[in-house]
Amino acid sequence: MPPPADIVKVAIEWPGAFPKLMEIDQKKPLSAIIKEVCEGWSLGNHENFALQIADATNFYITEKNRNDIKNGSILRLTTSPYQTAVQLHERIQSSSMDAKLEALKDLANASRDITFAQEFINLDGISLLTQMVESGTERYQKLQKIMKPCFGDLLSFTLTAFVELMDHGIVSWDTFSVAFIKKIASYVNKSAMDTAVLQRSLAILESMVLNSQDLYHKVAQEITIGQLIPHLQGSDQDIQTYTIAVINALFLKAPEEKRQEMAHILAQKQLRSIILSNVIRSTTAINDEMAHQLYVLQVLTFNLLEDRMMTKMDPQDQAQRDIIFELRRIAFDADCDPINSGSIEKRKSMYTRDYKKLGFINHVNPAVDFTQIPPGMLALDNMLYFARHHQDAYIRIVLENSSREDKHECPFGRSSIELTKMLCEILKVGELPSENCHDFHPMFFTHDRHFEEFFCICIQLLNKTWKEMRATSEDFNKVMQVVREQIMRALTLKPNSLDQFKSRLQNLSYTEILKIRQSERMNQEDFQSRPIQELREKIQPEIMELIKQQRLNRLCEGTCFRKISSRRRQDKFWYCRLSPNHKVLHYGDLEESPQGEVPHDSLQDKLPVADIKAVITGKDCPHMKEKGALKQNKEVLELAFSVLYESDEYLNFIAPDKHEYCVWTDGLNALLGKEMTSEYTKSDMDTLLSMEMKLRLLDLENIQIPEVPPPIPKEPSNYDFVYDCN
C-alpha cells in the first residue's frame, strides 16, 4: 500500500550526530515537527531551531514553502532565522577585524534567504549596514595599509549583504540618506578600488536609479559620465557591464528634456568609440549580459530620434521651409541663380518643376509631405544629411531620376519619407528595451551619426533596386517590400561595420532576392491536386507524432531557466527536466548556469505529470500579474508560462528564448493530451511535411498528376484468361 500523500520521507542532519531518517506529516504544524526532531537529539528550546534545505542554497523551511519538500530530501536542523539574525547582528559589530570579516561573510551568504532577510531587516539590519558604510569605513581605511586585503573583503561582504537584502524588495530604496549615496558613489569615482567593491557599488547605484526617481536625481548629482568612462577602458568585462548598466539606467530615468543633453555629453566623452575599441573589438568574447546592456544602450540611443519622428512639419515655418530650399539648391542651383531667374511667377514655376524632380508628392508646397507622423521631421533631417554629406550620390540620384520618363522615375522625396518610416519600424524607435533581448548591432557603434549613415546606404540601395526592378510609380510598394527584405536579410548577418553592411547589400541584389524567394517557395511548395492533398493528410499524423516525440525528448534533456529579479545581473537559475518515462517533472535551484544536462538525482523537487491540471501562458500567468516591471514587458510576457497543479499551486517559468518557450508549451500540452499549437510546431510541420512529400514524389518528377483518378476500365467480355488453381 503506497504511503499517504501528506507523508514525505526525509533525512535530517545535525552537526556532530548521525542523520535521522524521518517521516514528516505535512498536515502537522511545522513547529511540532521541529519539536519532535529536537527531542530526538535531546535539544531543548525547540522554538530556537528551524529546518533548512541541506544544499548550496541553505533556504529555511517555512509554512509557505514546506510543500516543496519531496520524498528523499535532505534537511538540516539549525538555529532559527531570528536567532541567526540576532547572532549575526551582534557579530558584525565585533571589535575584532577577523571576527567582523567572518560575520559579514556569513551574513552575505545568509541574506539570500528571504526568511532570514526579513528577520535581519526587522532588527534594523539595513540601517546598521548603511551606518557601517557611511562612517565605519573611515576607521578601516586607516588600517588599509596594514590590512589591505582584509579591508577590501570587509567592504565587499558588507555591500554584498546589502545588495542581497535589498533584492528581496522588503525595504524601499527611497529610505537611504545622501551620505550613503555619496559614499557608494565615492567607491565608483576612485581610480583604484577593489574589483568586488566596485562591482557591488555599481550594482547598488543602478538599482537606486531604476527603483526611485528621487534617488535618480541624487545619484546623477554624485556620478558623472566622465567618472564612469575609465571603468570601460579596463579589461574586466564584468566591471564594463556594470558600468554600461549604470549609464543605461541614468539614460532611461532622465527626464525627456535632459536625454538629448546627456547624449551630447556621451558624444563629447567619446563613449561610442571607447565601447567599440574596449568592448566590441576586445579579444574577450561578449557574454549575454554585456550583449544585453549594449542592446539597451542601442535602443535608448535610437529612441532619441522619437521626438523628431513624431514632430510634424509646420508648412508656415520659414526655417523649416529653408531646409527644403537647401535640398533644391544643392541638387539644381549649381548652374542656376534663382534670384536672377525672371519674375516671381517664373521662379514659382521653376520651384514647382524642381520639387517634382525631387520626387515630392506635393509639388507646390512640399512641406505638406512632412506632416505625416511617423516619420515627421526625421525624414527631412535624413534627406538634408544625405544631401550635405553624400552630395555626389544625392545629385546623381536626383538627376538620374529627373532624366527618366515620369512613370519610371524613383521619387526621391517620397522614397526618403517611406524609407525613414520603414527604418524606424525595423529598429523599433520609440519602444522600450526588452528584458531578455541581446540583439545589438556592432555597426551602429562605428559612427557618431549611425542612423543617418544607415539611411544614406539604404536610400542608395532603394534607387539601385528600383532600377533593377525597372519599376514604375505603380510598383512603389513592391519596391519598398523588396528593400525591406534586403535590409532585414543583411542585418541578420550582423555586419561589424557600415561598409560591411553595404557590401552585404551589394550581394543581395533584386535578382538574388528573386532566387532566394524561388528557393523558399520551392521548399514550401504546396501542391493543390486532390491525390497530393490525400497523401498530405495521410502523412500528417505521422509527422505530428514525430514532432511530439522530439518535444518530449527535449523536455527529458531539460532546460535551465532564469529567475528574473529587479537586479538583472544577480541571476539565479533553476533547472527542469522530464523523467525518461514521461511521468515526473524534476526541478531544482542551481548556483550557476550549467554547461550540460543536470542529472535527475541533483534536482530535489518533483511534480508528477498526473497532477498537472493545465498550462497557462502570457499575461494569465500568476508571476506576470505580480507588481513589478516585468508585467510591462511584452517580450517577457511572450516567454512566460505556468503549470497549474493540485489545489491552485503553480510552477512558474520564463523561457530563455522563443524556441524554448514553444518546445516546453508544446511538450507539456502533449503530456496532457492536448494539441500542440505553437508557431514552431507549424513551422516544423511545414518543413518536415514538405520534405517527406518531395521524397515520396521523387519517382513522379516531370509526370503530370491528374486532378481526378483515371476511369476504371470496362469488365472484359470473358474471363478465359483467368487460371483456376483448383
Side-chain angles (χ1 to χ4, degrees):
M1 183 177 174
D6 293 319
I7 303 296
V8 288
K9 295 182 178 181
V10 300
I12 301 179
E13 298 175 341
W14 172 250
F18 287 108
K20 281 189 174 185
L21 296 177
M22 189 172 177
E23 291 186 352
I24 291 180
D25 186 350
Q26 293 285 38
K27 290 182 178 178
K28 288 176 66 175
L30 192 58
S31 57
I33 294 170
I34 293 170
K35 182 178 180 181
E36 183 182 339
V37 173
C38 289
E39 288 173 352
W41 275 307
S42 303
L43 299 172
N45 299 323
H46 69 274
E47 63 276 4
N48 292 336
F49 293 90
L51 291 173
Q52 276 182 332
I53 299 288
D55 60 12
T57 62
N58 292 329
F59 284 169
Y60 282 99
I61 303 296
T62 64
E63 292 291 353
K64 287 183 179 179
N65 66 16
R66 63 182 296 176
N67 288 327
D68 293 338
I69 303 173
K70 305 298 177 186
N71 279 316
S73 296
I74 301 175
L75 309 182
R76 180 187 298 117
L77 184 66
T78 185
T79 52
S80 68
Y82 173 74
Q83 288 295 323
T84 305
V86 169
Q87 291 168 13
L88 284 173
H89 194 273
E90 292 174 359
R91 287 172 59 202
I92 62 175
Q93 298 180 72
S94 169
S95 56
S96 164
M97 285 290 263
D98 289 337
K100 184 187 284 284
L101 181 62
E102 198 60 34
L104 285 168
K105 185 177 180 179
D106 292 342
L107 178 62
N109 289 326
S111 296
R112 292 178 295 174
D113 182 83
I114 191 169
T115 311
F116 167 83
Q118 186 68 68
E119 296 292 351
F120 190 77
I121 289 168
N122 290 343
L123 294 171
D124 214 14
I126 293 278
S127 297
L128 178 59
L129 291 177
T130 55
Q131 287 169 18
M132 289 171 65
V133 172
E134 286 174 26
S135 57
T137 49
E138 275 85 355
R139 183 164 59 88
Y140 306 138
Q141 279 175 309
K142 293 175 184 177
L143 302 172
Q144 193 172 357
K145 290 182 181 178
I146 307 168
M147 308 176 67
K148 190 169 185 179
C150 182
F151 167 73
D153 290 343
L154 191 78
L155 191 51
S156 170
F157 288 130
T158 304
L159 295 178
T160 301
F162 175 82
V163 167
E164 293 290 353
L165 291 167
M166 291 303 298
D167 193 32
H168 297 297
I170 300 168
V171 178
S172 168
W173 283 93
D174 287 310
T175 57
F176 298 107
S177 66
V178 174
F180 179 72
I181 298 168
K182 284 179 180 290
K183 184 59 69 175
I184 297 297
S186 71
Y187 300 143
V188 173
N189 293 338
K190 282 180 183 174
S191 55
M193 177 52 69
D194 180 80
T195 303
V197 173
L198 181 56
Q199 275 189 11
R200 284 149 185 79
S201 298
L202 288 166
I204 291 169
L205 291 177
E206 184 202 4
S207 294
M208 285 179 171
V209 172
L210 291 176
N211 288 287
S212 167
Q213 193 63 33
D214 183 46
L215 286 184
Y216 154 74
H217 293 291
K218 292 176 181 176
V219 171
Q221 289 175 356
E222 299 299 326
I223 294 288
T224 65
I225 300 300
Q227 291 163 332
L228 292 171
I229 292 290
H231 300 311
L232 292 172
Q233 294 171 321
S235 57
D236 189 319
Q237 189 170 114
D238 287 336
I239 295 294
Q240 292 173 328
T241 304
Y242 280 90
T243 303
I244 296 176
V246 173
I247 292 172
N248 287 339
L250 290 169
F251 217 139
L252 191 62
K253 287 294 181 177
E256 286 187 21
E257 65 274 9
K258 284 197 172 182
R259 285 183 190 170
Q260 292 290 351
E261 180 186 331
M262 187 174 174
H264 181 65
I265 295 170
L266 292 176
Q268 279 186 329
K269 299 294 182 182
Q270 298 183 322
L271 176 71
R272 177 198 58 77
S273 59
I274 290 170
I275 289 176
L276 181 66
S277 57
N278 292 280
V279 179
I280 296 173
R281 292 180 178 169
S282 166
T283 53
T284 307
I286 292 176
N287 60 34
D288 284 349
E289 184 53 40
M290 174 59 86
H292 173 74
Q293 294 301 338
L294 291 173
Y295 152 78
V296 172
L297 181 60
Q298 175 185 286
V299 171
L300 295 176
T301 305
F302 281 133
N303 283 354
L304 294 170
L305 304 169
E306 185 181 12
D307 182 51
R308 293 295 282 174
M309 181 181 79
M310 301 306 291
T311 300
K312 291 183 180 181
M313 185 171 186
D314 180 2
Q316 306 305 318
D317 188 319
Q318 189 58 43
Q320 294 179 0
R321 289 164 64 91
D322 285 345
I323 299 175
I324 299 176
F325 291 148
E326 177 73 358
L327 289 174
R328 180 198 164 278
R329 184 195 65 76
I330 294 171
F332 302 114
D333 280 3
D335 51 7
C336 176
D337 183 5
I339 298 172
N340 301 316
S341 297
S343 65
I344 294 174
E345 290 299 321
K346 187 176 179 181
R347 286 205 301 273
K348 280 186 178 179
S349 174
M350 184 189 302
Y351 286 150
T352 302
R353 182 196 68 207
D354 290 348
Y355 291 147
K356 183 176 182 297
K357 289 180 181 179
L358 279 170
F360 290 112
I361 297 172
N362 191 314
H363 307 150
V364 178
N365 185 7
V368 176
D369 289 12
F370 299 97
T371 55
Q372 171 196 347
I373 55 170
M377 288 295 291
L378 185 60
L380 188 59
D381 295 342
N382 283 340
M383 292 167 72
L384 183 62
Y385 181 90
F386 181 50
R388 285 179 172 171
H389 294 84
H390 299 269
Q391 192 166 324
D392 291 343
Y394 167 69
I395 293 172
R396 186 184 69 251
I397 287 175
V398 173
L399 295 184
E400 265 183 17
N401 287 297
S402 62
S403 62
R404 292 180 191 152
E405 294 179 54
D406 284 356
K407 68 174 184 177
H408 283 291
E409 70 174 359
C410 175
F412 174 73
R414 182 185 175 192
S415 299
S416 297
I417 292 167
E418 289 302 318
L419 179 64
T420 301
K421 183 180 178 182
M422 181 201 293
L423 297 182
C424 289
E425 289 171 0
I426 290 171
L427 299 174
K428 299 181 180 179
V429 174
E431 293 187 20
L432 286 174
S434 159
E435 181 70 22
N436 286 335
C437 189
H438 308 132
D439 189 25
F440 82 98
H441 293 278
M443 71 177 193
F444 291 127
F445 289 86
T446 61
H447 201 286
D448 288 328
R449 303 291 294 272
H450 47 262
F451 183 76
E452 290 88 343
E453 289 292 325
F454 185 45
F455 168 84
C456 293
I457 293 170
C458 294
I459 193 65
Q460 293 176 75
L461 167 73
L462 193 154
N463 190 63
K464 173 174 168 283
T465 302
W466 185 283
K467 289 189 288 184
E468 290 172 349
M469 292 177 68
R470 298 180 182 177
T472 63
S473 52
E474 289 81 14
D475 300 321
F476 185 84
N477 290 334
K478 290 181 183 177
V479 175
M480 294 304 294
Q481 287 171 7
V482 173
V483 170
R484 186 187 193 99
E485 187 173 344
Q486 290 170 314
I487 294 169
M488 293 297 288
R489 288 184 184 277
L491 285 177
T492 55
L493 298 171
K494 291 290 177 74
N496 290 318
S497 66
L498 290 163
D499 287 338
Q500 202 175 86
F501 173 68
K502 197 172 182 177
S503 67
R504 296 270 163 83
L505 288 176
Q506 293 292 334
N507 298 330
L508 286 169
S509 63
Y510 176 57
T511 307
E512 186 62 26
I513 291 292
L514 286 180
K515 287 180 183 176
I516 294 170
R517 286 180 175 180
Q518 179 67 19
S519 173
E520 290 176 350
R521 195 177 297 118
M522 288 178 68
N523 290 335
Q524 299 170 359
E525 198 165 24
D526 188 13
F527 300 106
Q528 297 302 320
S529 63
R530 197 172 73 185
I532 300 298
Q533 290 291 347
E534 289 175 0
L535 180 59
R536 286 172 65 89
E537 289 169 10
K538 183 181 177 182
I539 296 173
Q540 205 156 341
E542 301 172 20
I543 302 295
M544 186 57 78
E545 183 61 28
L546 186 65
I547 294 171
K548 175 183 173 182
Q549 289 306 317
Q550 187 273 339
R551 299 293 192 262
L552 294 177
N553 288 341
R554 274 291 293 106
L555 263 61
C556 289
E557 291 173 14
T559 301
C560 179
F561 297 93
R562 186 165 58 85
K563 293 182 177 180
I564 296 182
S565 66
S566 58
R567 290 178 305 101
R568 212 179 158 274
R569 287 170 318 288
Q570 300 296 321
D571 284 342
K572 294 182 174 65
F573 299 95
W574 69 289
Y575 199 87
C576 187
R577 63 182 298 181
L578 180 65
S579 63
N581 62 6
H582 299 172
K583 290 186 177 180
V584 179
L585 282 176
H586 297 265
Y587 63 97
D589 292 339
L590 301 174
E591 281 296 296
E592 57 186 6
S593 181
Q595 298 304 311
E597 288 185 25
V598 176
H600 293 98
D601 53 10
S602 66
L603 302 172
Q604 299 294 328
D605 301 310
K606 299 177 183 177
L607 171 59
V609 172
D611 291 349
I612 298 176
K613 294 181 179 179
V615 177
I616 302 164
T617 60
K619 63 183 179 182
D620 295 326
C621 297
H623 57 315
M624 292 295 103
K625 294 179 180 178
E626 296 170 1
K627 286 189 175 182
L630 289 181
K631 70 174 183 178
Q632 308 292 338
N633 196 305
K634 182 182 174 185
E635 263 69 358
V636 173
L637 280 175
E638 290 176 350
L639 298 174
F641 61 98
S642 298
V643 171
L644 171 63
Y645 64 96
E646 292 181 356
S647 54
D648 296 330
E649 294 288 331
Y650 293 91
L651 187 60
N652 297 319
F653 298 76
I654 295 176
D657 52 48
K658 191 68 176 176
H659 181 263
E660 289 296 323
Y661 169 83
C662 292
V663 165
W664 274 85
T665 52
D666 281 344
L668 291 169
N669 281 322
L671 288 171
L672 298 178
K674 296 182 179 179
E675 187 180 355
M676 298 185 293
T677 57
S678 78
E679 59 191 61
Y680 277 85
T681 293
K682 183 179 182 302
S683 172
D684 289 348
M685 172 61 77
D686 291 344
T687 303
L688 293 171
L689 194 54
S690 173
M691 192 182 302
E692 184 66 19
M693 290 286 290
K694 287 175 182 177
L695 287 171
R696 296 200 184 194
L697 296 173
L698 274 177
D699 293 337
L700 297 177
E701 196 168 352
N702 299 322
I703 295 176
Q704 185 68 33
I705 300 173
E707 286 294 325
V708 293
I712 299 172
K714 292 179 182 179
E715 289 190 18
S717 56
N718 62 67
Y719 291 88
D720 293 345
F721 58 86
V722 176
Y723 178 74
D724 188 354
C725 296
N726 298 325

